[in-house]
């Protein structure tokens, strides 16, 4: 994910570089931003797999960054009609914890403080469900942008999940870590691009020698399959969590916000290869709509769960009903 050009000065690098059932969060007020705290986790099941959306907070920026092909006046009107600010689009950070076969697997590590001060809520929300970072066995990231890997590093430069095996897409590792990445495709100033690349490297530094690289299409563990979703980055994957007849599709950064990338088919500016990303988006959205799959959007309004509806003009997002 890419925050806005105007937020360059605010980008903070790491120091030193569907049976849906909700549970109320006991996270601290500082974590949730309210006087008494709001919900920061959401529990449900995918067949026999226990699943919990864990919020890592928020990032965001000017809406045009995330809807690069939108006419300015039309974009403003769409946001106004949706009761959203016209100068800033807030994006959630919805990580997913699944518990299966005696293992706890975190899908996406979240941003930490790499993309601004409103990230980094994951650990408080993990504590709110009675778990510590050392209780996580596996962390799988869909791609290596800072908002998906930022929490892998502690404030003192150590491993945030000391026992976890970390899985990352091989093509992203080759592009962002093993080479000096050309980030000229990003619609932001050069200074931001340098900070962005540094944030990726610093976040991944603690696991450099131990990361497991995967090709999209690989089954990471029984019940968790990766799907190719290339274009946003060279190796971005989507996740399919499955148990018996139940499935859940995690779409990573195929779309940032349903208002601008689903209900309206405007293209995200941070996609490295926009044509490939568009093809991935259509293929996976078509699959989700045809199979009526429950979907988790990483950046969608918390808890990010809903369905993809095929329409005459494209798609529409249908949020899942909140259940208790």
């Amino acid at each position: 994910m890419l925050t806005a050009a105007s937020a360059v000065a605010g980008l903070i690098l790491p120091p030193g570089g569907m049976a849906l059932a909700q549970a109320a969060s006991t996270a601290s007020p500082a974590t949730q931003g309210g006087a008494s705290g709001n919900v920061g986790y959401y529990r449900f099941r995918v067949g026999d797999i226990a699943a919990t959306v864990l919020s890592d907070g928020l990032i965001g920026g000017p809406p045009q960054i995330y809807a690069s092909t939108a006419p300015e006046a039309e974009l403003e009107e769409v946001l106004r009609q949706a009761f959203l600010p016209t100068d800033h689009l807030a994006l959630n950070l919805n990580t997913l914890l699944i518990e299966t076969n005696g293992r706890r697997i975190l899908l996406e590590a979240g941003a930490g403080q790499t993309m601004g001060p409103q990230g980094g809520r994951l650990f408080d929300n993990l504590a709110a469900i009675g778990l510590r970072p050392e209780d996580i066995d596996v962390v799988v990231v869909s791609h290596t942008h800072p908002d998906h890997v930022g929490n892998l590093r502690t404030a003192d430069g150590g491993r945030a999940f000391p026992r976890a095996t970390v899985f990352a897409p091989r093509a992203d590792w080759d592009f962002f870590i093993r080479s000096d990445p050309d980030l000229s495709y990003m619609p932001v100033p050069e200074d931001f691009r340098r900070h962005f690349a540094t944030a990726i490297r610093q976040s991944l530094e603690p696991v450099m020698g131990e990361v497991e690289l995967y090709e999209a299409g690989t089954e990471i563990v029984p019940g968790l399959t990766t799907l190719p979703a290339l274009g946003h980055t060279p190796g971005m994957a989507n996740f399919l969590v499955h148990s018996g007849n139940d499935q859940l599709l995690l779409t990573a950064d195929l779309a940032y916000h349903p208002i601008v990338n689903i209900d309206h088919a405007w293209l995200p500016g941070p996609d490295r290869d926009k044509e490939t990303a568009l093809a991935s988006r259509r293929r996976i959205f078509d699959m989700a709509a045809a199979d009526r799959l429950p979907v988790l959007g990483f950046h969608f309004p918390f808890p990010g769960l809903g369905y993809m509806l095929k329409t005459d003009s494209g798609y529409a997002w249908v949020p899942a009903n909140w259940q208790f």
Side-chain angles (χ1 to χ4, degrees), residues 101 138 207 238:
N101 297 320
V138 176
V207 300
N238 281 185

Side-chain angles (χ1 to χ4, degrees), residues 94 107-108 142-143 148 227-230 232 236-240 248-258 262 280-281 283-288 293-300 304 306-308 317:
N94 300 319
L107 304 181
E108 311 289 22
S142 63
H143 62 293
H148 294 256
L227 306 175
L230 311 182
H232 182 63
M236 191 177 84
N238 281 185
F239 302 131
L240 189 66
L248 173 70
L249 174 66
L250 285 73
T251 55
D253 284 8
L254 283 183
Y256 284 114
H257 195 290
I262 299 178
S280 294
R281 191 172 300 116
R283 172 174 48 83
I284 290 178
F285 285 5
D286 281 347
M287 178 185 72
L293 295 175
V295 172
L296 173 59
F298 181 69
H299 289 300
F300 294 5
Y307 298 88
M308 203 73 65
W317 176 250

Side-chain angles (χ1 to χ4, degrees), residues 5 11 14 37 106 115 125 130 135 157 197 200 202 209-210 220 282 322:
L11 181 138
L106 185 65
M115 303 292 281
N125 286 318
D135 294 322
I200 293 172
Q202 290 187 345
E210 302 171 25
I220 302 295
R282 287 172 173 167
W322 187 290

